[in-house]
Amino acid sequence: MIYCVEDDSNIRDLMLYALQAAGYEAAGFEESGPFWEALRESLPDLILLDIMLPEEDGLSILKKLRSAQATAEIPVIMATAKGSEYDKVIGLDLGADDYLVKPFGMLEMVARIKAVLRRTSPVTQSAVLTAGPISLDPAKHTVLVDGNPIPLTLKEFDILRLLLEHPGQVFSRAQLLEKAWGIDYAGETRTVDVHIGTLRTKLGDAGRLITTVRGVGYKLEVPDDK
Amino acid sequence: MIYCVEDDSNIRDLMLYALQAAGYEAAGFEESGPFWEALRESLPDLILLDIMLPEEDGLSILKKLRSAQATAEIPVIMATAKGSEYDKVIGLDLGADDYLVKPFGMLEMVARIKAVLRRTSPVTQSAVLTAGPISLDPAKHTVLVDGNPIPLTLKEFDILRLLLEHPGQVFSRAQLLEKAWGIDYAGETRTVDVHIGTLRTKLGDAGRLITTVRGVGYKLEVPDDK
DNA sequence: TATCTATGTAAAATCCATGTAAAACCTGCC
DNA sequence: GGCAGGTTTTACATGGATTTTACATAGATA
């Protein structure tokens, strides 16, 4: 789902049409009010944000988006009629993921959206993560091994997701704790080991992909059969 | 390190100057030949690529970069004078990470570089260490010799990393102990020798790169085959 | 050459990280 | 309150990693 915040109804309709033609779900907003409401309902995969808006300025919207935990990771593409370099720099510094200068073609817009989604998807997106026989859908919160659903608890899921997001990378127990639990734990704990253990048995044969690097931590072996 | 491939020497110098002023290391290339050579030497953190080049087209360079294992993950920003939308679409579809339309300001260029690096660095930044046939990836905790993975234990890995980080430099046993073990050991110990020994045999032929400096310690011979 | 010291290396001894089962502890829910 | 997961702690066995030991060997020194 893509949210478009754009006050000019002609342009907005054109954008929505092009997006839908390209296979995306899209919703348009004329001003910030309804946009914020919609955000409370559900989060989009990407936001197209005009800089010049009647009520609230696009840059300040971007700032708010970035400062809130829930929306900080949503990719944002800014659009503006003003060609001024200054705006771009500000927008990029605030963390916009890309920039479109009006007038822009719909082809370019779709291409940029595609590119941004491709870049961000491994981190943010609900794009399904896979490694060998394992596939994990963050949005649905499901894990399949060889197509069979595997019920996992929250922590198990979080750990597996982290490993799948960075295949091959070694994570120390401390890192796993920090990433999956949020807070960094000081003392020593065996809880990670236990979760890894249950994960491995639950995943069955595929559990072997989770390997332990002695003295360091755990990692997901990337299967090189392709 | 940022590589700039741009045939116009004025623009190239300007870019290099702006990059260095912004605190980046940067190297410029007028055409693709020397650029490919430099890539064999060492991989940059980002590549700025002009589309219009005398010999090899920027888009085809991008394609090659993406298809090679070693360079596939390096972020690329394309630059072009042609404002044609078509080029952009192609560039983005081939996996460019961003796009600059000439004439662009240096401020914007730096801002975009910053933005791209911010997006990609947490994932890419693996800083693989290499020396001759040996390559070591700290993040994955893997060592390859001529492309074949070599299983190493923690201490072996730590020692090898230290040596690779300072090629040619001699380390005393005490230094190795301190760096790889953390605490400085008082008495005398042969444990370093043993680890060096296993390292050498595990590395096979490449093990000869680890030489002993009699009465002092060990060092990694830097292969001068280039 | 004879001698002395530093290094290589195999094998034994020790240590300690990890796997795992089970108990204890939470937390939301009826 | 009590139940049903889920999560964390505890405890212990095990095997791999590390260290020590012992001896052979190569280099240095005179």
Side-chain angles (χ1 to χ4, degrees):
Chain A
M1 170 60 81
I2 294 174
Y3 283 178
C4 291
V5 189
E6 162 64 62
D7 58 325
D8 185 319
S9 67
N10 287 319
I11 299 181
R12 196 173 62 239
D13 288 347
L14 183 58
M15 289 163 97
L16 292 179
Y17 175 77
L19 287 172
Q20 277 151 16
Y24 295 105
E25 283 185 283
F29 303 91
E30 187 168 350
E31 43 184 28
S32 61
F35 170 65
W36 292 120
E37 274 178 41
L39 274 187
R40 265 195 294 279
E41 286 299 310
S42 78
L43 299 176
D45 303 310
L46 183 143
I47 297 170
L48 258 166
L49 192 54
D50 194 14
I51 284 206
M52 294 293 287
L53 289 171
E55 292 192 336
E56 197 174 4
D57 182 271
L59 290 176
S60 95
I61 293 181
L62 176 59
K63 214 180 208 168
K64 280 197 204 167
L65 285 172
R66 287 306 184 232
S67 62
Q69 170 72 25
T71 56
E73 294 291 307
I74 301 176
V76 173
I77 297 180
M78 305 290 290
T80 186
K82 297 201 296 183
S84 119
E85 189 181 330
Y86 184 70
D87 273 4
K88 291 190 190 175
V89 174
I90 297 293
L92 287 167
D93 264 358
L94 283 176
D97 292 272
D98 207 343
Y99 216 89
L100 281 166
V101 177
K102 289 184 189 174
F104 50 83
M106 289 302 114
L107 258 184
E108 181 185 353
M109 181 187 75
V110 170
R112 280 186 183 266
I113 287 176
K114 245 195 250 175
V116 167
L117 285 179
R118 182 179 52 221
R119 284 198 301 254
T120 54
S121 63
V123 189
T124 332
Q125 217 55 34
S126 34
V128 179
L129 300 164
T130 62
I134 306 172
S135 76
L136 178 150
D137 189 328
K140 296 184 183 163
H141 218 269
T142 56
V143 170
L144 302 182
V145 172
D146 289 324
N148 308 110
I150 307 282
L152 293 185
T153 69
L154 218 198
K155 295 301 177 203
E156 289 157 13
F157 187 86
D158 285 346
I159 290 175
L160 185 59
R161 172 163 62 185
L162 188 60
L163 292 176
L164 280 168
E165 277 169 355
H166 307 277
Q169 286 228 359
V170 181
F171 290 89
S172 68
R173 281 152 237 272
Q175 282 177 310
L176 286 170
L177 276 174
E178 189 193 324
K179 300 278 183 182
W181 275 254
I183 316 160
D184 50 342
Y185 198 89
E188 75 128 64
T189 291
R190 303 298 314 285
T191 186
V192 172
D193 301 54
V194 175
H195 284 297
I196 291 282
T198 59
L199 246 184
R200 289 213 256 237
T201 56
K202 281 192 183 177
L203 293 179
D205 245 20
R208 272 183 235 142
L209 288 179
I210 302 176
T211 60
T212 126
V213 181
R214 206 147 226 274
V216 185
Y218 299 95
K219 73 169 168 177
L220 188 85
E221 211 61 55
V222 26
D224 54 10
D225 48 30
K226 314 189 171 182
Chain B
M1 170 60 81
I2 295 174
Y3 284 176
C4 292
V5 189
E6 162 64 60
D7 57 325
D8 185 321
S9 66
N10 287 318
I11 298 182
R12 196 171 64 239
D13 289 346
L14 183 59
M15 288 164 99
L16 292 178
Y17 176 78
L19 286 172
Q20 278 151 16
Y24 294 105
E25 282 186 283
F29 303 92
E30 188 168 351
E31 43 184 29
S32 61
F35 170 65
W36 291 118
E37 274 178 38
L39 274 187
R40 265 194 294 279
E41 286 298 312
S42 78
L43 300 175
D45 303 309
L46 184 142
I47 296 170
L48 258 167
L49 192 55
D50 194 16
I51 284 205
M52 294 293 285
L53 288 172
E55 292 193 334
E56 196 174 4
D57 182 271
L59 289 175
S60 97
I61 293 181
L62 176 59
K63 215 180 206 164
K64 279 196 203 165
L65 285 172
R66 287 305 185 232
S67 63
Q69 169 74 23
T71 56
E73 292 292 308
I74 301 175
V76 173
I77 297 181
M78 306 289 291
T80 188
K82 296 202 296 183
S84 118
E85 190 179 331
Y86 183 68
D87 275 1
K88 293 190 190 176
V89 173
I90 297 295
L92 286 168
D93 264 359
L94 282 176
D97 292 89
D98 207 343
Y99 216 89
L100 282 166
V101 177
K102 286 185 191 175
F104 51 82
M106 289 301 115
L107 261 182
E108 181 184 353
M109 181 188 74
V110 170
R112 279 186 183 267
I113 287 175
K114 242 194 255 177
V116 167
L117 285 178
R118 183 179 51 221
R119 284 196 300 255
T120 56
S121 66
V123 187
T124 327
Q125 202 182 48
S126 43
V128 179
L129 300 166
T130 61
I134 307 171
S135 77
L136 178 150
D137 188 327
K140 298 187 198 280
H141 220 269
T142 54
V143 171
L144 302 182
V145 173
D146 289 325
N148 307 111
I150 308 283
L152 294 185
T153 69
L154 218 204
K155 295 300 178 207
E156 289 158 13
F157 187 87
D158 286 346
I159 290 175
L160 184 58
R161 172 161 60 184
L162 190 58
L163 293 175
L164 280 169
E165 277 169 354
H166 308 276
Q169 189 178 325
V170 183
F171 290 89
S172 69
R173 281 154 239 272
Q175 281 177 309
L176 285 170
L177 275 173
E178 190 195 325
K179 300 279 183 181
W181 275 254
I183 317 160
D184 50 341
Y185 198 87
E188 75 126 64
T189 292
R190 303 297 314 286
T191 186
V192 173
D193 302 56
V194 175
H195 281 117
I196 291 282
T198 58
L199 246 184
R200 279 180 178 150
T201 57
K202 280 193 183 176
L203 294 180
D205 246 20
R208 273 182 234 143
L209 289 179
I210 302 175
T211 61
T212 125
V213 180
R214 204 147 224 274
V216 185
Y218 300 94
K219 73 167 171 176
L220 187 84
E221 212 60 55
V222 24
D224 52 11
D225 49 32
K226 311 191 171 180

